[in-house]
Amino acid sequence: MQKSIHEGRPSDEIDGAIVDILLQQRRGLSARELLASLAQSGHFISQPTLSRRLIRLQAQRHVIARRAGRSTVYERDAYHDWFSLPPTRRPKVSYDFRRL
């Protein structure tokens, strides 16, 4: 059975560190701040490598990018957190009939 890209943890240790750092920072981080946080945790990568990893993590719904250009801020994608839980463990959500 093929695994969905939306399931499980990120593919390797550095991707996991990126996601963990973003989980701790609710306001999001710029690429520069993310590189500094990775270095503090012992993961030294270049800016281009970080950019490639962030693109892959966005495709996998682990990370989202807010704004654009130099002011881009990266955050943990709540979509992935919600759908990584089994349906029986998710909070109940009622349907709003006024939206029909």
Side-chain angles (χ1 to χ4, degrees):
M1 178 188 302
Q2 186 176 7
K3 191 173 185 179
S4 166
I5 63 168
H6 302 295
E7 293 179 26
R9 293 281 300 156
S11 59
D12 67 11
E13 184 180 342
I14 294 175
D15 286 354
I18 292 169
V19 170
D20 290 341
I21 289 167
L22 292 174
L23 274 170
Q24 295 168 7
Q25 296 292 326
R26 294 291 178 191
R27 65 171 179 81
L29 294 173
S30 67
R32 181 178 296 193
E33 293 169 322
L34 197 47
L35 274 174
S37 294
L38 284 168
Q40 286 178 344
S41 66
H43 301 286
F44 299 96
I45 61 173
S46 67
Q47 176 64 48
T49 299
L50 176 63
S51 295
R52 285 190 299 271
R53 287 177 178 270
L54 287 170
I55 289 168
R56 184 176 62 234
L57 288 169
Q58 287 176 63
Q60 296 171 348
R61 301 290 302 255
H62 288 286
V63 173
I64 56 174
R66 301 270 186 225
R67 296 179 269 190
R70 292 182 184 256
S71 64
T72 301
V73 174
Y74 298 95
E75 299 173 356
R76 176 73 167 122
D77 191 345
Y79 171 91
H80 187 274
D81 294 337
W82 176 262
F83 286 103
S84 66
L85 290 173
T88 55
R89 295 199 51 220
R90 295 181 200 151
K92 300 290 183 208
V93 178
S94 62
Y95 186 78
D96 184 1
F97 289 99
R98 294 176 291 174
R99 293 187 178 204
L100 287 176

